[in-house]
Structures are given as structure tokens and as C-alpha cells.
Amino acid sequence: MTTLRALPRPNAPAGPDSAEVLRLITEQRFPVFLTVHANGRRRYSYWQAGASQARPGGCFVALPTDECDALHAAGRIALGDPVEDRAKTTYPIRATVRSTTPLTGSPRQVPTRPVPARHALTA
């Protein structure tokens, strides 16, 4: 199984885009997810509900992949337990608690191809 490699920027300062992405994840108003498709394509996104009762529904909003990957490599965000199906694997994203002690271990490695389904997504 091939895994995604963390970017070599563990101490990279957060730029304006990274700060905004981290704010969205930290506020937890919108659950943020990483979807890894069978072809290896990754997409960080969240669901934005419709603005009013007159406009029900909503849409997925994509977040900048490079910024999210940098936050993950820096240990600022972490991946939750995957939900897998044949076409994709979806990970919930959460902000990590910053501490003054160095992190031990490495962030969860994200497979580029889903493994056999344990949890089937239903339509």
C-alpha cells in the first residue's frame, strides 16, 4: 500500500491562507473532511448549508490542498478514523491541541488508494 508522505515543513509559519483554514477547522462549525479517491487525488472540504430557508440545500466547499497538507505535516491538524468504500476513503479532520512538548511519533499516514471496505457508505 502506498502512503502519502508528510511535507518536510514541520516548523513552517502559518500564512494567511493556513490561518484561515485552521480557523475553520478549529471553530468546528463545519465538519472538515479529507477525501482520498481511488486514483490518489486528495480533497479537503466541508459542507456549507444553504444561507436561508428560501435557499435550502448547500454545497461542498473545497479547501486549499497545499495549505491543509502543510498544516497536517506541521502537526496542526490530525486525521480521524477513516470511512472507506471502493471509490474513496474519507477522514474527519480536527485541529490538534498545541503543547510545548515535542510531538512523539508521526502523523497518520494517508493511503493513496483505499483499502478493502470495513464501513460501507450508503447513499
Side-chain angles (χ1 to χ4, degrees):
M1 170 176 29
T2 308
T3 58
L4 296 176
R5 304 257 185 234
L7 296 174
R9 295 173 33 175
N11 296 321
D17 290 339
S18 291
E20 178 64 14
V21 168
L22 190 58
R23 183 190 67 77
L24 284 169
I25 295 169
T26 303
E27 280 184 2
Q28 297 181 345
R29 286 181 39 208
F30 309 106
V32 177
F33 298 94
L34 165 62
T35 302
V36 181
H37 295 271
N39 64 4
R41 185 176 68 111
R42 297 180 328 278
R43 179 65 62 208
Y44 294 84
S45 61
Y46 66 92
W47 178 258
Q48 183 173 1
S52 68
Q53 293 287 356
R55 282 185 30 208
C59 62
F60 280 102
V61 178
L63 297 171
T65 302
D66 291 342
E67 298 296 333
C68 293
D69 283 344
L71 288 169
H72 182 244
R76 304 289 301 273
I77 60 175
L79 306 179
D81 293 330
V83 175
E84 303 158 346
D85 69 17
R86 286 184 287 252
K88 64 184 178 284
T89 303
T90 304
Y91 299 85
I93 302 293
R94 63 175 174 76
T96 58
V97 177
R98 294 194 74 173
S99 69
T100 57
T101 60
L103 295 174
T104 59
S106 61
R108 177 190 297 246
Q109 295 296 307
V110 180
T112 56
R113 291 185 326 156
V115 293
R118 290 184 304 176
H119 308 284
L121 295 176
T122 58

